Amino acid sequence: MTAETVDLRSDTVTRPTPGMRRVMAAAEVGDDLFGEDPTVRALEERVAGLFGFPGALFVPSGVMANQIALRLLVAPGQEVVCDAEAHILAHEEGSPARYGGIQTRTVSGERGLIGVEALAGILRPGNAYTVGTRAVAVEQTHTRAGGTVYPLHTLRGVRRLTADSGIAVHIDGARIWNAHAATGTPLAEYGAPVADTLAVCLSKGLGAPVGSVLLTSAELLPRARSLRHGLGGGMRQSGILAAAGLHALDHHLERVAEDHANAELLAAGLRAAGFAVRPQETNIVLVDTPGAEDVVARAAREGVLVTAPGPGVVRLVTHLDVGRQACRRAVEVLAAVMGEGRPRTRRSAATGQAQQREESEVAV
């Protein structure tokens, strides 16, 4: 990459800031498998307190956090219900079945969000002849749907429904920081009141180099530690990494809203140029366009890196390493690349003027 490269592939591409590097280098450490790393303990206590959980476990990745949570809640041969495009299905290598013996059943949610009524229609109590539903997994925000936010009232409704049926709730909260920034909902409301387990990622949105935290009950925490060890996730002097997470919480959480504003700039600019941009709520922008893989390759040659999560869609993700000027450049490059020989949305002059005004207001 060059100094002019605009990397919008994911919010995981961020690099540690100078301040983050300093606290990592100075971190007090110990052997975490012996429970002796004070910085890891501090991070776990901090995140547990934010979300109102009694137990927390620092793990290397969000995938591991999700898979440990599912195995805490669902026994082999039982099922978890989730959205058809959930991260735990689309991006985790079939791990529920491969490692947990867990059956999955899906609901096609509206922009990734499962409604309470739809969920009520498929939960199964289970008996001697029928697999029972033991957990429901929801994703906050929903990655493949474009960063959509689960409304708090829906999460509360899911919790009431499952509690009445003796079914657990897991929240894949990899980008829960973005939901918090978009809605102003306190993190504690997104935590223990609506979930049995919650996984939050420190390298998405917050800009830490690695790591997630699994939140659970005090009773399940020892088993979570055992599962982490069995999956190869036991780390030694991992306070160096935990220090980055603490720094991110102190310095990067409040600025997540800037990523949303930059994503809005991207969405408005491409929409004003006549392209089919899906609704944008947080830091992910999805654009429907023919030949998405070709668009990705040609944009990369111009120094703008994006991805194609499907054959007809391009994805852009904003983060702390991409500012407004970089986003404006990305709009110019992508509009040119996607416009080469491709039909655009027909617009009236009035519509075009209105969209230009929208782009101008966003760009301020």
Side-chain angles (χ1 to χ4, degrees):
M1 291 191 297
T2 68
E4 290 115 15
T5 298
V6 181
D7 196 340
L8 294 166
R9 291 173 298 172
S10 176
D11 42 9
T12 61
V13 302
T14 56
R15 293 166 173 78
T17 62
M20 184 178 286
R21 290 177 185 269
R22 285 192 294 271
V23 299
M24 292 172 71
E28 185 180 359
V29 299
D31 191 317
D32 183 50
L33 281 191
F34 289 125
E36 295 175 353
D37 193 303
T39 309
V40 171
R41 299 286 85 76
L43 174 65
E44 291 171 340
E45 291 171 6
R46 173 83 174 275
V47 179
L50 287 174
F51 291 94
F53 276 88
L57 184 66
F58 183 49
V59 299
S61 72
V63 171
M64 184 176 287
N66 282 335
Q67 295 308 316
I68 291 174
L70 292 182
R71 290 174 68 177
L72 290 176
L73 303 177
V74 186
Q78 297 177 334
E79 85 177 5
V80 59
V81 169
C82 60
D83 174 70
E85 292 293 320
H87 192 281
I88 63 172
L89 293 185
H91 301 292
E92 301 194 8
E93 306 295 334
S95 293
R98 181 187 294 187
Y99 301 118
I102 297 170
Q103 175 171 296
T104 54
R105 197 148 56 100
T106 61
V107 182
S108 293
E110 179 70 26
R111 298 185 63 225
L113 309 183
I114 305 174
V116 177
E117 289 186 9
L119 190 60
I122 70 165
L123 298 181
R124 296 189 291 213
N127 54 39
Y129 308 101
T130 306
V131 174
T133 306
R134 297 310 308 144
V136 172
V138 299
E139 191 174 333
Q140 181 75 299
T141 66
H142 196 291
T143 301
R144 291 183 64 82
T148 50
V149 178
Y150 256 100
L152 183 58
H153 67 83
T154 301
L155 293 176
R156 287 171 172 166
V158 170
R159 182 61 162 176
R160 285 193 297 269
L161 173 67
T162 56
D164 290 344
S165 305
I167 295 170
V169 174
H170 171 61
I171 296 180
D172 173 2
R175 292 188 173 92
I176 203 164
W177 322 108
N178 297 93
H180 164 67
T183 65
T185 301
L187 292 174
E189 294 297 314
Y190 279 146
V194 292
D196 295 279
T197 56
L198 168 65
V200 301
C201 187
L202 302 169
S203 63
K204 292 178 179 174
L206 296 187
V210 66
S212 288
V213 179
L214 170 62
L215 300 164
T216 185
S217 66
E219 293 75 20
L220 291 177
L221 186 58
R223 182 157 178 258
R225 289 188 179 280
S226 176
L227 287 168
R228 181 185 69 172
H229 186 67
L231 291 171
M235 299 179 286
R236 300 296 182 173
Q237 288 74 30
S238 48
I240 294 172
L241 300 174
L246 286 167
H247 181 85
L249 288 169
D250 288 336
H251 299 281
H252 296 169
L253 179 56
E254 294 303 320
R255 58 145 310 279
V256 169
E258 297 174 20
D259 297 337
H260 298 179
N262 287 336
E264 187 178 354
L265 186 156
L266 290 169
L270 291 171
R271 193 176 291 115
F275 297 101
V277 181
R278 298 184 191 179
Q280 169 265 325
E281 293 183 39
T282 52
N283 68 321
I284 301 176
V285 178
L286 299 179
V287 186
D288 293 309
T289 183
E293 292 287 355
D294 185 50
V295 169
V296 170
R298 288 186 291 125
R301 290 195 288 270
E302 299 297 326
V304 174
L305 305 182
V306 295
T307 61
V313 61
V314 168
R315 187 181 88 148
L316 301 76
V317 186
T318 54
H319 50 82
L320 64 85
D321 281 353
V322 175
R324 295 184 75 75
Q325 188 58 38
C327 288
R328 293 188 184 99
R329 179 166 176 265
V331 169
E332 293 176 2
V333 169
L334 289 167
V337 166
M338 290 190 295
E340 293 176 6
R342 286 167 172 76
R344 301 187 186 185
T345 304
R346 296 181 65 88
R347 300 179 298 157
S348 68
T351 300
Q353 292 170 1
Q355 290 176 328
Q356 287 173 358
R357 285 196 299 272
E358 177 187 9
E359 181 188 18
S360 176
E361 291 168 359
V362 170
V364 172

